Amino acid sequence: IISSVHGVLALDSRGNPTVKVIAKTKAGVGVGIAPSGASKSSKEAIEKRDGGRGWGGMGVNQALSNVNTIVAPRLIGLDSRKQSLIDGVLIEIDGTPNKSRLGGNVTTATSIAVAKAAAASSGVELYEYLGGPGAKVLPTPLMNVINGGVHAGNNLAFQEFIIIPAGAPTFTEAMRMAVEVYKSLKSYLSDKYGKTSTNVGDEGGYAPPMNEVREPLEALRAAIKAAGYELGSDFFLGIDAASSEFYDPEKKAYRVDGKLYDPGSLLDLYVQLVDEFSIAYLEDPFHEEDLQHFSEITAKLGSRVLIVGDDLYATNVKYLQEGIKARATNGALVKVNQVGTLTETLDYIRVARNAGIRPVISHRSGDTEDPFIADLAVAVGAGVIKTGAPARSERLAKYNRLLEIEDSLGPMATYAGREPFITRA
Ligand code: PGA
Ligand code: ZN
């Protein structure tokens, strides 16, 4: 039974205020912290922000007051293990389609805090509490080791250039291989672009002064080789284009490498890059309203590439169902704070699964020390997690938690490896 719910100020990895919620029962405590995106979808839950001068308008005093004066009195006395009841109360108090009254930051942190308090009260690990005894698949990490787009101060149109250590036998070995490549990438960049090129962006990847989207892919290919691994078997590459950010709605075209691409020529570019660089993962290749070209690229590449909707779906069943109807993707990104509660997130994962769509559990570019998504990925057996480079502690919090889970599962643990990826092999 929940005995207290308290909101307290925390800061995210960009130094912006965010909401931390501490939920207690007699037997356990749970802490949830809301992350925050930069390349947000227009379909996401709205964060409650104070505006005005302090914190550059990003203050969360109103949000914290919502936790302490509106949410807490309604949740105290309820059974922490009844997650859908509790999330239902949050949804009912909020009463809007996008959590704009309470704030998605309020509902996200509260929902996560309650789940953790329930797990602690039950005396089991969070991934077991959420996933049951069958939860033992460690996800293959999608590691964003070169940052572009709005996550970095360079001219790369695509936001994320990703290495995927799918050929590793275990999660721990996958981390070792990825870290070796991350380090060999640092030498490659430093030699070719100078030492300022190894400063890191929002998700811990390097942010080199590159101008064309082929350059980071060439760098990743070289770094994988230099570390002694083979692209196409040990590693695959991935891209999150986050293309809503470089779409020009007036020209109905995309700005890439200083040129304008209509959707058809952008699709051709993706096909070339997929073939040339063993790309097995492609997220948001087209802008968030363009189901039609998502469907086209999935028809063309879906048998060999995971084509994933992030801004397209915003972790919302309503948009996912439109995508399912249009056969728009074969993967769906999952970010709890895009929809605002754990219950709605789990529903979304279930709907995706039933349609044969792979859920991909994800961090945000503004994230925190909360490792919640590591447990979530194992709990639902997602098989894939996207949580940045092996750098910056808000990213490592998730990887370190997964290392711990693999250790605690011992010989029961399995690593998803290549299974989530449809490869040509
Ligand atoms: P965001 O980016 O957290 O800034 O929205 C992450 C992503 O697009 O996957
Ligand atoms: Zn994305």
Side-chain angles (χ1 to χ4, degrees):
I1 304 298
I2 297 172
S3 56
S4 78
V5 173
H6 181 62
V8 50
L9 175 68
L11 300 179
D12 73 17
S13 56
R14 282 189 281 254
N16 290 324
T18 188
V19 177
K20 177 195 270 190
V21 171
I22 304 164
K24 291 186 182 164
T25 70
K26 273 214 185 69
V29 182
V31 180
I33 315 179
S36 179
S39 61
K40 285 186 194 147
S41 170
S42 63
K43 306 167 188 174
E44 291 191 23
I46 303 293
E47 296 170 345
K48 195 69 152 179
R49 300 279 183 192
D50 297 330
R53 289 195 53 204
W55 299 106
M58 302 289 277
V60 292
N61 285 328
Q62 183 61 52
L64 295 174
S65 149
N66 287 353
V67 176
N68 294 326
T69 66
I70 303 176
V71 170
R74 290 287 305 274
L75 298 190
I76 290 169
L78 299 182
D79 186 340
S80 65
R81 290 165 304 184
K82 302 216 156 119
Q83 188 74 38
S84 62
L85 172 82
I86 280 152
D87 289 337
V89 171
L90 295 173
I91 291 164
E92 179 228 304
I93 308 175
D94 175 75
T96 71
N98 60 1
K99 311 289 188 301
S100 56
R101 176 157 175 260
L102 278 180
N105 41 1
V106 167
T107 59
T108 298
T110 305
S111 188
I112 291 173
V114 168
K116 289 192 192 175
S121 309
S122 314
V124 296
E125 295 284 346
L126 183 58
Y127 67 90
E128 290 179 293
Y129 170 73
L130 293 173
K136 41 186 187 304
V137 180
L138 273 293
T140 305
L142 300 165
M143 307 179 90
N144 175 13
V145 293
I146 295 185
N147 294 184
V150 298
H151 293 167
N154 57 25
N155 296 319
L156 291 170
F158 298 167
Q159 181 177 278
E160 305 177 12
F161 298 86
I162 293 166
I163 55 171
I164 309 171
T170 64
F171 180 79
T172 304
E173 285 293 288
M175 289 305 293
R176 178 182 60 75
M177 289 163 55
V179 166
E180 289 169 8
V181 171
Y182 186 65
K183 289 187 188 299
S184 89
L185 178 61
K186 183 171 186 172
S187 327
Y188 173 93
L189 293 174
S190 181
D191 290 350
K192 185 153 181 198
Y193 296 90
K195 62 187 179 187
T196 58
S197 70
T198 61
N199 296 334
V200 302
D202 284 0
E203 296 188 349
Y206 303 117
M210 293 172 168
N211 297 305
E212 302 196 352
V213 296
R214 214 170 265 278
E215 290 176 86
L217 297 170
E218 277 161 9
L220 297 185
R221 179 165 62 191
I224 287 167
K225 191 164 182 225
Y229 296 109
E230 201 178 319
L231 181 59
S233 62
D234 299 321
F235 280 87
F236 298 94
L237 300 188
I239 292 172
D240 178 4
S243 64
S244 295
E245 301 293 328
F246 56 88
Y247 179 63
D248 181 336
E250 267 160 37
K251 299 212 159 69
K252 293 193 177 3
Y254 295 86
R255 252 172 232 289
V256 179
D257 301 349
K259 289 178 288 239
L260 276 177
Y261 283 76
D262 63 29
S265 48
L266 186 62
L267 197 157
D268 292 342
L269 173 64
Y270 289 131
V271 172
Q272 271 172 35
L273 295 178
V274 160
D275 288 336
E276 206 174 321
F277 294 101
S278 297
I279 288 172
Y281 180 91
L282 182 54
E283 180 181 328
D284 281 352
F286 297 100
H287 75 84
E288 66 195 47
E289 304 299 339
D290 188 2
L291 269 184
Q292 189 202 322
H293 287 94
F294 267 94
S295 303
E296 274 182 37
I297 198 163
T298 297
K300 199 154 205 168
L301 295 177
S303 63
R304 53 199 168 107
V305 181
L306 210 49
I307 308 284
V308 176
D310 170 12
D311 294 354
L312 183 71
Y313 299 145
T315 316
N316 191 315
V317 166
K318 178 178 145 201
Y319 303 113
L320 176 61
Q321 269 159 350
E322 292 170 11
I324 291 170
K325 242 185 259 159
R327 296 177 192 273
T329 69
N330 54 16
L333 213 69
V334 178
K335 293 165 164 169
V336 182
N337 82 321
Q338 280 183 325
V339 68
T341 67
L342 182 55
T343 300
E344 289 165 287
T345 303
L346 295 172
D347 279 350
Y348 174 86
I349 292 170
R350 196 167 28 81
V351 171
R353 276 257 166 71
N354 288 341
I357 290 178
R358 167 75 56 176
V360 178
I361 309 298
S362 173
H363 65 164
R364 298 308 303 251
S365 55
D367 214 292
T368 75
E369 65 273 28
D370 188 343
F372 179 77
I373 60 166
D375 286 78
L376 179 63
V378 176
V380 303
V384 202
I385 193 169
K386 196 180 136 184
T387 190
R392 300 182 56 134
S393 282
E394 77 279 6
R395 315 296 148 190
L396 272 321
K398 284 72 165 169
Y399 291 128
N400 288 343
R401 174 63 182 154
L402 288 165
L403 290 169
E404 187 184 331
I405 293 174
E406 185 165 67
D407 178 77
S408 75
L409 284 168
M412 304 230 300
T414 58
Y415 174 57
R418 292 197 190 98
E419 189 273 327
F421 301 92
I422 317 112
T423 61
R424 269 158 284 182

